[in-house]
Amino acid sequence: MPLPMNKGPIRSSLSSPALITLILFLASSALFSSEASGSAYAPAPILGPGDYPSVKGLSPRLAVWLAAQMHVWFAAFVLAVPIFVVILEFIGMVKKDARYDRVAYEFLRISTTAFSLTAITGGMLLAALIVFYPGLMKYLASIFGPTAIFYALFFLLETAALYTYYYGWKRMAEGRLKLLHLAVGLGLNISGTGLMFVANAWVTFMMTPSGVDAAGVFSGNLWEAVNNHLWSPMNLHRFIANIAYGGSIVGAYAAYRFLGASGEEERAHYDWMGYTASLIAIGALLPLPFAGYWLTAEIYAFSQQMGITLMGGVFAWLFIIQAVIIGALFLAANYYLWCGFGRGAYGEAYLKYVKYIALVVAASFLVWFTPHTLILTPSEARAIGGQYHPYLGPLGLMPAKNTAVNIMLLFTFLSFILYRRAHRRPVAAWVKYGNALQAGLFTAAVANISFLGVYYGYFTNTVYKVASSVPQVATTLFVILACLVIEWLMGRGGKREDFKWGRMPERSQYALILIAVSFTWLMGLMGFVRSAIRQHWHVYSVMKDASGEAFTPSIAYAAKVVSTGTIIFLAIIVFIFWLGGMGQGKEAGKDE
Amino acid sequence: MRLLKFILINLFFYALLKMPGLLAGKPIPSSVITMYMFFIIVTVLLVMTITDEGAEDLFAPARSLLEDPSKAFARNVLFAVLPIVAALSVYYLAAEPAPPFELRSAHPAPPGAVRAYGKVYELDGLENPLRSIEKEDPAAFKEMVREGGEVYFRNCLFCHGAKLDGRGHYAHAMDPLPMPFTGSDTIAQLKESYLFWRIVKGGPGLPREGGPNISSMPAWEDELTEEEVWKVILFLYDYTGNRPRSWKD
């Protein structure tokens, strides 16, 4: 099948905003660096209300907040998609299956359109920061000025690699050139990831400053400032989250195209694309909570105040919302897999297990979002005798939540195993024992995870309460890997019927769209929390925010802002999908 | 039939959630039941609509009621009854006079620094100065715990109770109720510096997020010495069998 090649408007739309952003960035960093050079080691400035330029009718915080949020959403998407595009291209090359190549290319085209919007929103963010927070920008530039070179370098490399990778797809499709093409894709990912690492250093320094003393005097060791408490956990967390996010957006694109598909072939193609993308999204979502634990543990270790504000204080309820959204994600993912049983010749036989899996996933989900601090009517508070419920109280703690999430992961994986079996039947002589072994592993894992959660969570000292999550995760990962190996061994030479791609109910596609919406909303909400725990500090404990908006907004206000941002972003994404569809139609016409 | 099954399953779970309140007098808060039931209904709906046949069966009665011309009478009755039910439920819910719902942060975030005893304590990194004696001189440590117990029983007993469960003599007259120290969900999750702040500054030192009610806890810096505060903290952990969270956790 010939690859659809789009040589349309991308080149022109990409180059100008990207270059403008780069020029703006370099100019501003040069300006601030030179201004700061005379007082390179001065303490953090003490700002007053007069240090914040006012623009009538515009809230500086709101402007920066929305610009930053839009930029992060687009950036997460464009950093993630090339990662699995390269993986898909590699799989397609090894398997000699053109479907992978086609889908990878389609993924890349969507992300290329989004790349220009990433640059535009990045430029908007930078401009907003320079205009509204010049004092902060001067201080940050005085420390991080040299990193601007790396940022610019990675930016140029990424742009060059993206052009080469995208436009070279057809010309470099065979032999050694294909390998070279893959190498370019790898370069694209390395530069993109490098770009993110540099930006993460600035953001994390504002939360957990290092390389400066209590007055904010820079000691001159740039690496120390970059490698602050949160830099590594933030890098890991964002790297994994970006993959999950990119997968979810591409999955939504496939669902959008599936719902509007005119023929069986198109329907089948987008069904397969949606499945592949959602698999990547959910696959990346599985280890994400553990990267999140590391990030949170580092925040708490750096500052008790930030840690408690984050999870025990004013923002605790946003974590309940987070749990609700992630639980909804898991339900949607399971539903998509359950509906997918119908694609396989043997799927019907496994439908009877769904209600049991649903029961466990839902029960785990309910435990996961049970709040520790309850919203009570006065009569309920009086009847319970305090803020903590005698039966629900233990469910509000992390050990219960760690246990629940691990069990939820295991049973989602069970849905996946059954989904795989919907189109293949293992025929090895020891299948009965293999199944028994898998059942035994699941049972032992659930028992072990529950024991670790209950015993170390409630009956030993606090040190183990957090630490026991590590063996819990190890148990989950071990069972997933062991069961996959057993499945593979049992399935060798087995009977296999191809999935009937396209044979999915339309309502299953809304699950894919729900996953993308949930991810977007979740990122916005939790990004706000992460940033807002600094409270009235620009740079925590070093540089105070003296503007009129130096207060933590209410949860309701934050939720409204993030929800508005989510709607705007998703509207733009739908527009990009629509554009992608237009390009596709044009190419189809050319091919004919 | 399938719709009936859907309704019965959800009613079963609703009854299950109501049971602690009806049987043990410890109701699950209505805010939590609402959240639980929303996701229970969604999950049951998902399970019942995996196949086209299942979805068709589930929605067939509703579709038939809305579309079948022979059911016009039943449809009209429904359209008349639904607004009445909605109006009655709003009337009864609104008619019940009750104070607003309470969302109170039980662990409000501490400030960065506390001024007390003529000094400034940076809470981040602040350790209990007496804790190191636990390993160095266990006998002396035991004595300090005992002295901390004396401080507790002279001053804190009346609210926080003889068993440190938050059920002292005065507890029932207070709102919010005094915190229990037993169990693994209060002091076990906190560093000793947090307790130091709460004891020396009490209710008046709480940030706004500690509301909406006002804690009756006095600011003990006027009554107890710094050493007494640290000793009573040792006692709280020792008596309840908890270990304080450390900076390494």
Side-chain angles (χ1 to χ4, degrees):
Chain A
M1 182 180 290
L3 285 172
M5 297 302 296
N6 187 350
K7 296 184 180 175
I10 290 163
R11 188 192 301 267
S12 56
S13 68
L14 171 70
S15 55
S16 53
L19 279 175
I20 291 167
T21 309
L22 185 61
I23 291 164
L24 200 61
F25 181 80
L26 285 174
S28 64
S29 61
L31 175 74
F32 288 144
S33 289
S34 59
E35 277 192 20
S37 60
S39 55
Y41 300 106
I46 298 167
L47 302 174
D51 293 311
Y52 298 89
S54 65
V55 178
K56 278 183 184 173
L58 197 62
S59 157
R61 177 169 68 184
L62 195 59
V64 169
W65 184 350
L66 281 174
Q69 192 60 73
M70 287 294 157
H71 181 58
V72 169
W73 274 323
F74 279 114
F77 178 54
V78 298
L79 287 179
V81 173
I83 295 173
F84 51 79
V85 164
V86 170
I87 295 170
L88 284 175
E89 190 188 9
F90 179 74
I91 295 172
M93 190 185 76
V94 173
K95 284 191 164 186
K96 298 191 191 329
D97 187 341
R99 274 189 315 175
Y100 287 93
D101 223 50
R102 185 183 164 194
V103 165
Y105 184 76
E106 206 166 339
F107 279 0
L108 188 64
R109 188 178 50 199
I110 300 161
S111 96
T112 312
T113 313
F115 190 83
S116 56
L117 284 160
T118 312
I120 292 169
T121 50
M124 283 165 61
L125 172 61
L126 188 63
L129 281 168
I130 293 168
V131 170
F132 294 123
Y133 297 102
L136 169 68
M137 290 303 281
K138 273 182 193 171
Y139 179 64
L140 287 180
S142 72
I143 295 172
F144 288 101
T147 61
I149 303 300
F150 290 97
Y151 192 91
L153 192 68
F154 283 131
F155 191 94
L156 287 173
L157 277 175
E158 192 191 21
T159 309
L162 182 74
Y163 276 130
T164 315
Y165 193 54
Y166 182 72
Y167 290 107
W169 199 286
K170 196 173 181 183
R171 288 172 196 276
M172 300 164 83
E174 303 288 339
R176 283 186 183 174
L177 279 176
K178 186 69 174 170
L179 286 175
L180 182 64
H181 188 251
L182 269 169
V184 173
L186 197 64
L188 167 65
N189 281 303
I190 291 170
S191 49
T193 308
L195 201 65
M196 183 183 74
F197 282 9
V198 176
N200 282 351
W202 310 334
V203 173
T204 53
F205 175 83
M206 287 171 69
M207 295 186 67
T208 57
S210 58
V212 291
D213 64 16
V217 178
F218 178 48
S219 70
N221 187 344
L222 182 60
W223 173 242
E224 213 180 317
V226 168
N227 189 27
N228 59 70
H229 262 73
L230 291 193
W231 190 54
S232 295
M234 178 79 108
N235 285 341
L236 181 70
H237 192 265
R238 277 195 164 161
F239 182 74
I240 299 173
N242 287 352
I243 297 174
Y245 186 56
S248 77
I249 295 286
V250 175
Y253 170 77
Y256 172 86
R257 303 278 295 162
F258 179 96
L259 291 170
S262 51
E264 284 302 311
E265 196 189 335
E266 195 181 347
R267 203 173 145 93
H269 171 68
Y270 286 109
D271 188 19
W272 187 73
M273 186 179 186
Y275 168 73
T276 311
S278 64
L279 199 66
I280 290 166
I282 300 301
L285 181 65
L286 300 187
L288 196 56
F290 311 115
Y293 289 161
W294 183 27
L295 183 65
T296 311
E298 287 294 328
I299 290 174
Y300 195 90
F302 182 81
S303 164
Q304 177 181 225
Q305 189 184 41
M306 278 206 293
I308 293 179
T309 303
L310 182 70
M311 297 204 73
V314 71
F315 291 131
W317 261 85
L318 276 171
F319 275 84
I320 300 300
I321 297 175
Q322 180 208 33
V324 166
I325 297 175
I326 295 180
L329 273 171
F330 272 102
L331 273 183
N334 273 287
Y335 184 64
Y336 184 75
L337 286 172
W338 299 333
C339 286
F341 287 4
R343 285 191 194 119
Y346 316 115
E348 211 169 319
Y350 299 107
L351 287 174
K352 60 177 178 274
Y353 299 116
V354 164
K355 53 179 172 284
Y356 304 111
I357 297 175
L359 186 70
V360 177
V361 171
S364 303
F365 177 22
L366 299 190
V367 170
W368 205 27
F369 75 67
T370 299
H372 189 214
T373 306
L374 305 167
I375 297 180
L376 301 166
T377 61
S379 61
E380 285 168 348
R382 196 52 59 186
I384 293 167
Q387 196 76 29
Y388 303 123
H389 196 279
Y391 312 132
L392 296 182
L395 304 185
L397 299 183
M398 281 314 286
K401 299 187 186 311
N402 286 341
T403 305
V405 76
N406 277 286
I407 292 175
M408 194 154 70
L409 290 176
L410 273 180
F411 276 78
T412 302
F413 174 69
L414 183 60
S415 291
F416 177 68
I417 290 272
L418 295 182
Y419 169 79
R420 278 170 57 90
R421 288 190 177 190
H423 83 126
R424 64 179 82 187
R425 279 223 162 129
V427 288
W430 51 279
V431 164
K432 211 192 287 179
Y433 300 107
N435 286 338
L437 182 61
Q438 285 184 329
L441 276 170
F442 262 88
T443 312
V446 171
N448 191 38
I449 288 166
S450 304
F451 171 76
L452 288 166
V454 174
Y455 180 71
Y456 287 106
Y458 299 98
F459 296 100
T460 57
N461 72 47
T462 323
V463 177
Y464 298 109
K465 193 172 283 178
V466 179
S468 67
S469 66
V470 177
Q472 282 183 317
V473 177
T475 307
T476 303
L477 294 179
F478 172 76
V479 170
I480 289 176
L481 284 175
C483 285
L484 282 177
V485 171
I486 295 167
E487 275 297 295
W488 176 69
L489 290 173
M490 285 198 305
R492 279 194 307 177
K495 201 174 170 189
R496 184 177 167 151
E497 303 276 345
D498 281 342
F499 275 130
K500 299 279 187 296
W501 293 108
R503 201 163 77 181
M504 278 289 264
E506 288 195 346
R507 57 186 175 279
S508 68
Q509 302 303 306
Y510 293 103
L512 291 183
I513 294 170
L514 174 72
I515 289 174
V517 174
S518 302
F519 262 120
T520 308
W521 205 34
L522 190 65
M523 278 174 67
L525 281 174
M526 301 321 288
F528 159 72
V529 175
R530 199 260 312 138
S531 178
I533 55 173
R534 282 182 288 125
Q535 300 175 74
H536 55 284
W537 297 95
H538 283 313
V539 179
Y540 187 69
S541 72
V542 164
M543 185 179 176
K544 271 192 178 168
D545 181 349
S547 69
E549 293 179 310
F551 60 90
T552 306
S554 72
I555 291 176
Y557 176 79
K560 282 175 197 163
V561 172
V562 172
S563 302
T564 307
T566 304
I567 291 167
I568 296 169
F569 173 77
L570 289 173
I572 298 170
I573 284 290
V574 170
F575 177 67
I576 293 174
F577 288 175
W578 179 72
L579 277 181
M582 284 218 314
Q584 190 81 340
K586 210 172 159 188
E587 284 146 16
K590 270 185 197 169
D591 288 344
E592 281 162 20
Chain B
M1 195 60 198
R2 205 169 165 82
L3 182 63
L4 185 67
K5 200 172 161 187
F6 173 77
I7 294 168
L8 287 176
I9 291 171
N10 285 306
L11 281 177
F12 167 76
F13 283 112
Y14 184 69
L16 207 63
L17 294 173
K18 280 294 202 184
M19 232 173 256
L22 296 172
L23 301 181
K26 301 286 180 193
I28 294 180
S30 51
S31 61
V32 177
I33 290 188
T34 308
M35 284 180 5
Y36 279 180
M37 279 315 298
F38 176 79
F39 284 101
I40 287 170
I41 292 169
V42 167
T43 308
V44 177
L45 188 68
L46 293 183
V47 173
M48 292 183 125
T49 58
I50 294 163
T51 59
D52 286 337
E53 299 77 37
E56 184 60 35
D57 279 359
L58 182 64
F59 297 121
R63 188 170 296 149
S64 158
L65 184 68
L66 292 175
E67 294 173 0
D68 189 346
S70 69
K71 290 181 177 155
F73 180 71
R75 185 159 57 236
N76 289 338
V77 170
L78 180 77
F79 287 166
V81 167
L82 272 182
I84 295 171
V85 170
L88 285 176
S89 60
V90 169
Y91 174 77
Y92 281 110
L93 283 177
E96 192 182 333
F101 275 72
E102 179 190 358
L103 173 57
R104 180 173 170 267
S105 173
H107 292 319
V114 168
R115 186 181 289 277
Y117 303 114
K119 288 187 272 184
V120 174
Y121 298 88
E122 296 286 340
L123 289 185
D124 279 343
L126 178 67
E127 306 269 6
N128 187 340
L130 309 178
R131 180 63 66 185
S132 59
I133 302 168
E134 189 174 11
K135 277 185 185 167
E136 291 165 11
D137 189 348
F141 182 76
K142 212 172 165 183
E143 177 58 17
M144 283 180 179
V145 169
R146 194 194 61 74
E147 288 168 19
E150 268 185 29
V151 174
Y152 179 86
F153 284 103
R154 279 187 192 149
N155 301 284
C156 320
L157 161 84
F158 311 103
C159 298
H160 292 282
K163 295 177 183 171
L164 282 65
D165 57 359
R167 298 289 173 273
H169 303 87
Y170 301 161
H172 300 287
M174 293 174 177
D175 189 7
L177 294 165
M179 290 297 277
F181 302 127
T182 48
S184 56
D185 53 358
T186 55
I187 62 169
Q189 297 192 83
L190 300 167
K191 294 167 182 172
E192 289 181 293
S193 59
Y194 187 98
L195 272 71
F196 181 77
W197 162 61
R198 290 293 290 113
I199 294 170
V200 296
K201 291 296 173 190
L206 276 175
R208 280 183 63 192
E209 63 183 89
N213 299 348
I214 299 165
S215 164
S216 313
M217 174 97 163
W220 288 98
E221 60 182 326
D222 302 328
E223 307 292 331
L224 302 176
T225 65
E226 182 190 354
E227 194 175 73
E228 282 174 325
V229 173
W230 287 121
K231 279 180 185 170
V232 83
I233 292 172
L234 292 182
F235 168 75
L236 297 181
Y237 282 100
D238 186 80
Y239 186 90
T240 57
N242 285 310
R243 296 291 301 174
R245 193 167 185 168
S246 78
W247 297 100
K248 294 174 190 115
D249 296 343

